[in-house]
Amino acid sequence: MGRFRRRMYEEYANEFSTDESYNRAYRKVKKIKGFYSHLKVYIIVNAIIIISSLNRDFVGNHFELRGFQNWEIYSTAFYWGIALAIHAFTVFGPDIFFNKDWEDKKIKKYMEKEVESKNKWE
């Protein structure tokens, strides 16, 4: 954690620690940061793989570009790209199964169940 972030966190720790919206936003920012780190590694690794495979054979006085026809070179980028797209959908896409409404409904349900069980024995 950088000095500025640490100082900001220490100043506002008491204010933010109990705020549910802050905690939700913090988790969302961590997910977005994780996605961008994943994207960065994807670009760097696949660029290295593709560039090193394209010009691997130096024949005479020119490079033989036979890498464009090899599926093996691009298969890593393709399948990893599918995984990256799924990661992007989980970070930026809608919460289909466990959205905010679902959480609120479950909380209400358990609170009502608790009240019913409390009143049952009184």
Side-chain angles (χ1 to χ4, degrees):
M1 186 181 297
R3 284 183 289 177
F4 177 73
R5 272 196 305 176
R6 185 178 301 123
R7 188 174 53 208
M8 185 185 81
Y9 179 76
E10 289 169 357
E11 289 175 9
Y12 296 106
N14 294 333
E15 183 178 332
F16 289 144
S17 63
T18 58
D19 189 10
E20 183 63 31
S21 62
Y22 170 77
N23 292 332
R24 225 177 295 122
Y26 180 78
R27 286 191 302 266
K28 182 73 172 175
V29 167
K30 292 299 266 184
K31 287 180 182 180
I32 292 170
K33 184 179 177 184
F35 170 74
Y36 285 130
S37 296
H38 188 184
L39 179 64
K40 180 176 57 174
V41 171
Y42 171 81
I43 291 171
I44 291 170
V45 169
N46 285 303
I48 291 170
I49 290 171
I50 291 170
I51 291 170
S52 66
S53 297
L54 285 178
N55 294 327
R56 130 176 84 195
D57 296 327
F58 186 71
V59 179
N61 59 357
H62 68 284
F63 286 104
E64 183 179 333
L65 295 175
R66 61 188 188 112
F68 286 114
Q69 293 98 13
N70 291 343
W71 164 249
E72 295 85 22
I73 296 170
Y74 303 107
S75 64
T76 303
F78 178 73
Y79 291 117
W80 194 354
I82 292 172
L84 188 66
I86 293 169
H87 190 179
F89 183 75
T90 60
V91 171
F92 298 111
D95 292 330
I96 296 172
F97 300 109
F98 302 111
N99 57 10
K100 181 66 176 149
D101 294 334
W102 180 85
E103 289 177 4
D104 292 340
K105 288 177 186 176
K106 283 295 185 183
I107 289 171
K108 281 183 181 179
K109 179 181 173 184
Y110 287 120
M111 288 174 65
E112 290 172 359
K113 193 181 271 188
E114 177 108 7
V115 169
E116 288 175 8
S117 68
K118 209 181 230 186
N119 292 338
K120 183 178 178 181
W121 297 105
E122 289 180 0

